Amino acid sequence: MTLGVRHTGIVVQDIEKSIFFWTNVLDFKIVSDNLESGNFIEHLLGIPDIKVRTVKMVATDESMIELLWFPEVQDTESWSGSFTSTGLTHVALNVKNINEIIDKASRLEYKTINEPRYSVESKVTVAFIAGPEGI
């Protein structure tokens, strides 16, 4: 039985740009920022001598995003930045005012991929904003 989503993990190549986007455009708050290494993370990922910086952030409703940056690994093979590429392509967020978010993103020079539009079921308004690395 699934009780809910704990967090969404996003591997990034530029951690500082990604933190800026999530905190300054989408108003997430950082709750932890750690450089992890050692037996536990090596066992978890199956990679010896690995180091990963993990930055966990929460929205007002306590939903969580975790940015992961591997300082010694620059692997961009699986993510091409397109919606159809293998890997994480988007994170759906509930927001109070989508137009306010789009305006803020535009002022900070993030690209809005489309104008807001009601979903097919007319339950929500949807728009895509490309953050760092196309996510």
Side-chain angles (χ1 to χ4, degrees):
M1 171 175 51
T2 301
L3 299 177
V5 175
R6 178 170 167 73
H7 67 264
T8 300
I10 305 170
V11 175
V12 299
Q13 299 300 312
D14 190 325
I15 190 75
E16 297 305 329
K17 281 184 181 178
S18 295
I19 290 169
F20 181 88
F21 177 77
W22 285 94
T23 59
N24 289 284
V25 174
L26 299 174
D27 295 325
F28 276 63
K29 305 295 181 215
I30 296 173
V31 293
S32 69
D33 186 342
N34 299 298
L35 183 60
E36 299 181 40
S37 63
N39 290 336
F40 176 75
I41 198 71
E42 290 174 17
H43 172 76
L44 187 64
L45 300 178
I47 304 172
D49 301 317
I50 195 71
K51 293 178 185 166
V52 58
R53 181 177 173 191
T54 58
V55 180
K56 291 184 178 174
M57 296 175 248
V58 295
T60 303
D61 71 351
E62 297 300 315
S63 55
M64 186 178 293
I65 294 292
E66 179 183 43
L67 301 178
L68 300 102
W69 176 65
F70 296 90
E72 298 169 356
V73 179
Q74 297 301 311
D75 181 3
T76 59
E77 292 300 315
S78 65
W79 173 245
S80 69
S82 75
F83 286 119
T84 58
S85 67
T86 301
L88 181 65
T89 59
H90 73 277
V91 177
L93 304 172
N94 292 319
V95 300
K96 188 173 184 178
N97 185 327
I98 194 166
N99 292 316
E100 193 174 281
I101 298 288
I102 289 170
D103 289 344
K104 185 189 294 185
S106 179
R107 283 193 310 276
L108 293 169
E109 299 182 4
Y110 291 101
K111 181 182 175 187
T112 302
I113 297 170
N114 54 17
E115 293 298 317
R117 181 175 290 173
Y118 282 109
S119 65
V120 175
E121 305 85 13
S122 296
K123 291 183 178 180
V124 295
T125 303
V126 180
F128 279 98
I129 299 169
E133 300 167 29
I135 296 174

